[in-house]
Amino acid sequence: MSKALWSLAWEKGTLVLLDQTKLPDEITYIRCKDYREVGKAIYRLAVRGAPAIGVAAAYAMVLALQEITAKGLHGEERSAAFQKAGSELIDARPTAVNLSWAVSRMLKAFEGLPEETALEKLTSLAQAIEEEDKSTCDAIADHGADLFKGKDHLRILTHCNTGALATAGIGTAFGVIYRLHERGQLERVYADETRPLLQGARLTGTELMQNGIPCSLITDNMAGWVMKEKKIDAVIVGADRIAANGDAANKVGTYSLSILCAFHHIPFYIAAPFSTFDFSISSGEEIRIEERNPEEVRQIKGFYTAPKDMPVFNPAFDVAPHSLITGIITEKGVLKPPYDVAIKNYERSLQ
Ligand code: MRU
């Protein structure tokens, strides 16, 4: 896998983020020494994709602790400042559970740590979270590709960006696609451009081309016709939060894809790591959907394509119902319906 593009790197007490808003035109890095800068980068999608947001947040908590330590805060004051940093980071984006999962993990590890060793221990934990994401991506890729054993000339459709840019590793849904390409089973990937912010065109497009994967870019409203005309074998997408019943929130447009797949009898797979599961919610009804700036819809790359004062509805995510999901590809294997049972067993296997 070409790692020419990476989402983030920890360099001597600084978090370096690739500014994904500038891709594919420019390769620009942001060096964050302050956790608030990471929060801003998460909010404006300079770093995005559920697993990458989680890893970035873990390092942001290390930056917060660096600041707290430099200020010489102790005891209650120190804990309160650390928790405040965590809450500010979580507020940056509400739907991807990986963000609050990573912050909670850092907060939990912080409790009871002696002040002298806390920074070192939390830095190691953030690095472990990053490494874990890499190995998790690899396992997802293997399990996902195994679903297609004995099949070749596969035509896969995907949505948004789920690759190296969205994770610390090779990606989730993109990892499966990459593995199928490595195994010589892939004929072509159809990538939805993914309006309004074009993560499919700008980011997945870049990753597909860099890795020499045969691909075609389509606009989101072409997906149904492409399924019919190009005989799509499977749709594989990522997720930002999966409820205990299997309902899966992902980039807006995923809900429509799940329905189109059902109509065309095409398998519809979600690929996601354990950090994307929210075992505490019983269904997708409980998932808060982030609504973003109307200008994202009125404009494309700074140019108005709609009347400047036109009202907009801009949900960043939607929820694919579990009844339309063929399988959820995880690092432990592929979960199949009934999802309430499969997800309970999966949760137990993580303990
Ligand atoms: O708004 P984004 O770009 O963060 O949305 C990303 C997605 O919806 C991805 O499909 C999801 O995070 C899975 S990433 C492996």
Side-chain angles (χ1 to χ4, degrees):
M1 168 89 178
S2 155
K3 280 297 286 181
L5 284 182
W6 43 265
S7 53
L8 52 86
W10 180 249
E11 282 177 12
K12 297 189 195 114
T14 302
L15 181 62
V16 185
L17 299 173
L18 172 65
D19 187 347
Q20 299 189 28
T21 64
K22 301 265 196 317
L23 287 172
D25 305 330
E26 271 176 53
I27 298 197
T28 311
Y29 297 95
I30 315 164
R31 304 187 77 82
C32 305
K33 288 189 193 302
D34 184 325
Y35 77 87
R36 296 167 196 86
E37 291 171 280
V38 184
K40 279 185 199 146
I42 291 174
Y43 175 72
R44 64 178 194 86
L45 310 196
V47 59
R48 32 65 53 205
I53 293 172
V55 178
Y59 282 120
M61 292 301 279
V62 177
L63 294 177
L65 191 58
Q66 281 178 184
E67 179 181 306
I68 291 164
T69 309
K71 280 186 180 159
L73 301 184
H74 300 288
E76 290 283 295
E77 238 188 339
R78 185 177 159 86
S79 302
F82 195 57
Q83 278 185 21
K84 181 171 167 286
S87 308
E88 283 174 35
L89 286 165
I90 289 173
D91 283 348
R93 293 199 79 187
T95 303
V97 70
N98 313 59
L99 175 55
S100 54
W101 166 84
V103 168
S104 307
R105 205 163 153 189
M106 297 298 279
L107 287 171
K108 206 161 162 214
F110 173 81
E111 277 168 31
L113 271 183
E115 288 186 11
E116 313 75 60
T117 55
L119 199 49
E120 191 192 320
K121 287 266 185 317
L122 287 195
T123 307
S124 302
L125 177 56
Q127 284 166 332
I129 289 174
E130 181 182 353
E131 287 311 308
E132 206 173 69
D133 190 51
K134 287 181 190 166
S135 51
T136 302
C137 284
D138 283 330
I140 288 173
D142 290 336
H143 289 302
D146 286 350
L147 281 168
F148 301 93
K149 268 191 179 147
K151 295 185 180 157
D152 54 18
H153 300 292
L154 291 167
R155 282 148 293 195
I156 307 287
L157 191 147
T158 192
H159 189 63
C160 197
N161 173 262
T162 60
L165 293 168
T167 65
I170 63 166
T172 56
F174 191 96
V176 177
I177 288 169
Y178 187 77
R179 196 65 92 240
L180 288 170
H181 172 62
E182 269 184 335
R183 294 182 185 178
Q185 290 171 262
L186 201 59
E187 183 176 304
R188 182 161 294 270
V189 177
Y190 290 87
D192 279 356
E193 66 172 354
T194 318
R195 272 284 282 151
L197 295 177
L198 304 170
Q199 289 94 326
R202 296 185 303 105
L203 310 179
T204 302
T206 301
E207 291 198 58
L208 287 166
M209 295 300 288
Q210 274 198 347
N211 286 289
I213 300 175
C215 55
S216 297
L217 177 64
I218 59 169
T219 63
D220 301 339
N221 50 350
M222 293 174 187
W225 191 244
V226 169
M227 286 180 189
K228 178 182 175 292
E229 289 294 297
K230 301 292 180 186
K231 316 243 174 316
I232 295 296
D233 294 291
V235 169
I236 314 176
V237 296
D240 287 76
R241 191 181 291 247
I242 302 173
N245 70 344
D247 291 348
N250 190 48
K251 178 53 57 193
V252 68
T254 302
Y255 173 69
S256 313
L257 288 179
S258 70
I259 294 169
L260 286 172
C261 279
F263 181 83
H264 292 96
H265 307 290
I266 292 170
F268 175 77
Y269 291 106
I270 297 280
F274 66 95
S275 51
T276 301
F277 284 77
D278 186 345
F279 302 107
S280 74
I281 57 168
S282 54
S283 83
E285 293 291 323
E286 292 172 66
I287 299 176
R288 186 174 149 209
I289 299 294
E290 174 185 2
E291 279 186 43
R292 294 185 61 87
N293 190 337
E295 294 293 8
E296 291 180 352
V297 179
R298 290 189 201 112
Q299 301 180 9
I300 297 181
K301 293 188 99 181
F303 290 99
Y304 279 94
T305 54
K308 288 184 180 170
D309 53 353
M310 187 170 182
V312 162
F313 175 49
N314 184 16
F317 300 94
D318 57 26
V319 181
H322 65 274
S323 55
L324 300 184
I325 300 172
T326 311
I328 304 177
I329 307 163
T330 75
E331 72 286 357
K332 299 247 176 190
V334 181
L335 310 185
K336 292 282 182 131
Y339 287 115
D340 50 350
V341 178
I343 292 176
K344 246 201 173 60
N345 290 336
Y346 172 63
E347 185 183 8
R348 272 193 214 110
S349 76
L350 299 171
Q351 284 152 7

